[in-house]
């Protein structure tokens, strides 16, 4: 039975490092894509939301680090209370900011899509009109030429 606990302890230590590394990797990926988004041509709403999000996510990451530290020290109840007291509210605010950005981008995409549909319809009407006009002109010229022969 003792060997099981020793095995479990070492398994936990190895996975603890892997979990920490996984979190760091995901944060780096997220930051990379967030920076790519920030480099786009953003409107004022997006800029304000990104600034709010940056503040909320930095606060969340600060408290998350504290919570993980407490959990690693096996102070699970303290970690849970710290998470509920501080980290959770910032996590929810950051998620709310992302949802608002998503809704805003969806609305802009719908406007662009409707504009594209309208422009496509106009282009089809113009192309059809030009095709019909050229066809009529060719027929009239054909009749004119055959009458003069």
């Amino acid at each position: 039975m003792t060997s099981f606990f020793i095995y479990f302890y070492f398994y936990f230590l190895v996975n603890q490092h892997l979990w920490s590394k996984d979190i760091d990797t995901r944060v780096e990926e997220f930051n990379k894509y967030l920076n790519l988004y920030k480099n786009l041509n953003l409107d004022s709403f997006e800029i304000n939301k990104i600034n709010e999000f940056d503040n909320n996510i930095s606060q969340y990451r600060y408290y998350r680090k504290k919570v993980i530290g407490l959990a690693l020290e096996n102070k699970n109840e303290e970690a849970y209370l710290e998470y509920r007291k501080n980290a959770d509210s910032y996590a929810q605010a950051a998620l709310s900011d992302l949802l608002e950005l998503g809704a805003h981008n969806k609305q802009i995409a719908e406007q662009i899509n409707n504009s594209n549909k309208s422009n496509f319809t106009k282009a089809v009407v113009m192309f059809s009109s030009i095709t019909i006009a050229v066809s009529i002109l060719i027929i009239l010229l054909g009749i004119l030429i055959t009458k003069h022969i």
Side-chain angles (χ1 to χ4, degrees), residues 21 23 29 35-37 40 45 51-53 58-59 64 69 85 97-98 101 108 112 119 142:
K21 188 175 179 181
I23 290 171
E29 280 289 310
N35 287 330
L36 288 173
Y37 183 76
L40 297 175
F45 177 82
N51 290 336
E52 287 178 30
F53 174 78
S58 67
Q59 290 295 320
R64 181 191 63 201
K85 180 181 173 190
D97 292 337
L98 289 177
L101 273 171
I108 290 174
I112 291 172
N119 290 341

Side-chain angles (χ1 to χ4, degrees), residues 107-140:
Q107 181 183 14
I108 290 174
E110 286 173 350
Q111 290 172 351
I112 291 172
N113 189 37
N114 291 336
S115 175
N116 286 344
K117 285 180 182 178
S118 173
N119 290 341
F120 178 75
T121 303
K122 288 177 186 176
V124 167
V125 168
M126 285 177 47
F127 181 75
S128 299
S129 300
I130 291 171
T131 303
I132 291 170
V134 167
S135 298
I136 291 172
L137 185 61
I138 290 173
I139 290 171
L140 291 176

Side-chain angles (χ1 to χ4, degrees), residues 26-28 30-31 34-35 38 49-65 83 86-98:
R26 290 173 189 256
V27 167
E28 287 175 16
F30 183 82
N31 288 341
L34 182 62
N35 287 330
K38 287 178 182 178
K49 274 297 156 193
I50 288 292
N51 290 336
E52 287 178 30
F53 174 78
D54 280 341
N55 180 49
N56 288 327
I57 199 72
S58 67
Q59 290 295 320
Y60 168 73
R61 287 175 178 169
Y62 170 77
Y63 287 113
R64 181 191 63 201
K65 188 175 182 178
Y83 181 82
N86 294 314
D88 190 40
S89 63
Y90 288 110
Q92 295 304 319
L95 287 174
S96 175
D97 292 337
L98 289 177

